[in-house]
Amino acid sequence: MEIEEAKKRLLSQVDILFNDNRDVELENISNVLNRIISQDIKAPVSVPNFPKSAMDGYAVNSEDVKNASKTNPVRLKVIDEILAGDFKDISYSKNTAVRVMTGGLIPEGYDGVIMQEKTDLGMDYVEIYDEIKPYMNYCKVGEDIMESEIIISKNTKLNRSHIGLLSSLGIKKVEVYIPIKVGIISSGSELMDINEPLKPGKIYNSISYMLKAQLESMGIEVLTTICEDNMDLLIKKVNEFIDKVDVLITTGGVSVGKKDLLPIVLEKINAKEIFKKANIKPGTPTRGSVYKNKIILSLSGNPYAALANFDYYFWDIYAKLSGDDSMKLESGLAKLGSEYKKMEKTKRLVRAKYENGIVKLFSNNASSVISNMTKCNCYVEIEKEREYSVGDSVKIHFIK
């Protein structure tokens, strides 16, 4: 199966299983940075909710200062002063002004503000040296936000500006999606945790550390375990994890070797097969399954194969589960900065470095090698049975 079709089938299962029924919680706005809001937020009040001055000056009625100029000043009686935060019930009367500071309420009947630089700064009476049009230097009710206007749309990832907007409206709590939980089962009797002394014939389990670190940095709770190549124990681990997580990732034991037990385990527990053996290297044995209404993504035990296929499949799954479309795999086109003359028998994901529209391929793409991944920022799709020259256009997938 082509990888595009494999991903499409997997994502269709996410739609069927969750169908916008993700769990939500009510959280204080101080705790929702980078969380995904689960409903449209409407403004409970207009902002501003009173007409206010845009600058320091005098609130006037524009009719009273018609044709005012430096050579022909208009003299108005100053009947009061309003500072930002004051509330005074002032009635307009003809040929009067109210001294107002920036942000101060403009009383009814006054339809503009003369900046103080165009006056003599009078206290009891003020001379006005310029005319104004109605609503000049005047912030109308709802100029920023109108009451009942949608200010934040559902499925928006909240940033600091959203939180400032919410607080400006007096909104203390909002409903956000509960972050998903991911389980990682690393299978293989050869695996050891890094907290143990390395024994002959064993290797440290690097895959789960890589995935766990990245997922947790994005606010995703992660459960991990190592499972030896034992059928009953692997079934037990899968059943233990599946009830605690939204997505289960398994690494290793997915191919056709003597100790590759995952395919048998999935069959024994009656997991629904979505795809297997995608047309891609590395990671041909990758599988997608559904068990107890949860997604299981089964990856190779080779670190690079696991990472490349994790990136290709998982982020689109996560985008659907979280409601955060920005988490989808980011892809694009680039020009090759190095040739690739090997005729592949199947499509291949080759690690590479992208910069300024040019992508350079790495020479070592062994599935078990991760040392050069520290310099890699994308994967290049190499089509089967095709040679590539410098300057050819290729599809790339960016690494988050």
Side-chain angles (χ1 to χ4, degrees):
M1 186 183 298
E2 296 299 324
I3 56 173
E4 295 85 359
E5 177 62 21
K7 181 192 282 189
K8 181 180 177 181
R9 291 190 184 190
L10 199 56
L11 294 178
S12 70
Q13 289 298 309
V14 177
D15 285 333
I16 292 169
L17 293 173
F18 292 90
N19 194 27
D20 208 29
N21 290 322
R22 300 184 297 278
D23 292 332
V24 300
E25 60 185 350
L26 192 63
E27 269 286 1
N28 291 319
I29 62 169
S30 57
N31 299 325
V32 296
L33 185 66
N34 293 326
R35 297 287 295 275
I36 309 299
I37 202 151
S38 62
Q39 57 185 191
D40 291 339
I41 300 295
K42 294 183 178 180
V45 295
S46 294
V47 178
N49 62 353
F50 60 90
K52 65 178 185 177
S53 175
M55 58 185 55
D56 297 338
Y58 295 83
V60 299
N61 186 292
S62 56
E63 288 292 322
D64 292 339
V65 295
K66 258 188 175 180
N67 302 317
S69 67
K70 188 72 176 175
T71 57
N72 182 38
V74 171
R75 192 165 183 261
L76 303 177
K77 180 177 177 59
V78 180
I79 61 173
D80 213 325
E81 181 180 57
I82 298 178
L83 306 180
D86 288 348
F87 175 76
K88 294 181 179 180
D89 189 9
I90 299 172
S91 297
Y92 164 74
S93 54
K94 190 170 178 57
N95 294 323
T96 63
V98 177
R99 183 82 162 104
V100 290
M101 298 296 109
T102 302
L105 180 147
I106 298 176
E108 188 175 347
Y110 299 89
D111 64 358
V113 176
I114 292 283
M115 65 174 66
Q116 61 185 19
E117 291 83 356
K118 294 184 177 180
T119 73
D120 67 349
L121 295 175
M123 302 292 289
D124 296 322
Y125 286 87
V126 61
E127 285 193 351
I128 308 296
Y129 302 137
D130 201 2
E131 63 179 354
I132 62 170
K133 291 182 170 32
Y135 305 109
M136 185 178 288
N137 304 322
Y138 181 110
C139 300
K140 295 181 179 181
V141 171
E143 182 178 79
D144 186 7
I145 301 166
M146 290 298 296
E147 183 179 350
S148 298
E149 176 186 345
I150 294 177
I151 55 163
I152 304 177
S153 299
K154 178 180 178 179
N155 290 345
T156 297
K157 179 185 279 189
L158 298 172
N159 59 32
R160 64 183 184 181
S161 296
H162 293 123
I163 292 168
L165 182 56
L166 292 167
S167 60
S168 74
L169 290 162
I171 298 174
K172 296 183 253 185
K173 294 185 177 185
V174 291
E175 275 193 1
V176 289
Y177 293 119
I178 295 175
I180 73 167
K181 295 179 181 178
V182 174
I184 303 173
I185 299 176
S186 302
S187 67
S189 296
E190 76 280 11
L191 298 177
M192 294 189 67
D193 188 79
I194 60 175
N195 294 307
E196 303 174 85
L198 190 62
K199 296 177 181 178
K202 304 285 187 178
I203 60 172
Y204 283 129
N205 174 30
S206 62
I207 300 173
S208 68
Y209 278 94
M210 291 189 287
L211 300 185
K212 184 173 187 287
Q214 185 174 25
L215 293 170
E216 287 185 337
S217 74
M218 296 178 173
I220 301 171
E221 185 177 341
V222 184
L223 307 177
T224 63
T225 190
I226 295 175
C227 184
E228 63 185 66
D229 294 315
N230 177 290
M231 180 81 68
D232 293 336
L233 185 58
L234 191 50
I235 290 174
K236 181 181 177 183
K237 292 282 188 183
V238 169
N239 279 309
E240 282 179 359
F241 270 49
I242 204 70
D243 292 329
K244 300 176 182 177
V245 300
D246 300 289
V247 178
L248 177 60
I249 296 169
T250 67
T251 66
V254 76
S255 191
V256 291
K258 187 175 181 179
K259 288 190 174 182
D260 287 323
L261 303 177
L262 223 292
I264 304 172
V265 166
L266 293 172
E267 185 178 344
K268 279 184 172 291
I269 63 176
N270 293 318
K272 177 183 176 182
E273 179 184 293
I274 306 304
F275 75 89
K276 66 177 180 179
K277 293 190 176 180
N279 183 24
I280 192 68
K281 285 187 177 180
T284 305
T286 300
R287 289 172 174 254
S289 311
V290 172
Y291 178 52
K292 292 187 176 180
N293 292 328
K294 306 289 179 66
I295 297 293
I296 300 179
L297 182 61
S298 300
L299 306 171
S300 168
N302 285 313
Y304 174 62
L307 281 179
N309 284 269
F310 168 83
D311 284 340
Y312 185 80
Y313 293 104
F314 176 79
W315 295 118
D316 283 27
I317 295 172
Y318 176 57
K320 279 189 173 289
L321 291 176
S322 66
D324 182 4
D325 283 346
S326 71
M327 293 309 300
K328 288 181 179 178
L329 181 71
E330 185 181 352
S331 303
L333 297 176
K335 297 292 185 183
L336 267 181
S338 53
E339 63 180 20
Y340 194 90
K341 296 301 183 184
K342 184 179 178 182
M343 298 285 282
E344 298 289 354
K345 295 180 179 179
T346 186
K347 184 181 288 186
R348 179 177 285 274
L349 292 175
V350 176
R351 64 197 91 184
K353 177 74 175 289
Y354 172 86
E355 192 172 10
N356 298 325
I358 305 296
V359 63
K360 294 185 178 180
L361 306 175
F362 288 13
S363 57
N364 191 343
N365 281 281
S367 295
S368 58
V369 172
I370 59 169
S371 57
N372 59 5
M373 286 294 290
T374 58
K375 302 173 184 178
C376 169
N377 64 6
C378 68
Y379 309 108
V380 174
E381 274 195 22
I382 296 295
E383 300 294 335
K384 68 178 181 178
E385 299 177 352
R386 179 183 168 185
E387 289 187 357
Y388 290 84
S389 301
V390 174
D392 284 351
S393 180
V394 290
K395 186 174 184 179
I396 62 174
H397 305 296
F398 290 98
I399 296 173
K400 292 192 181 298

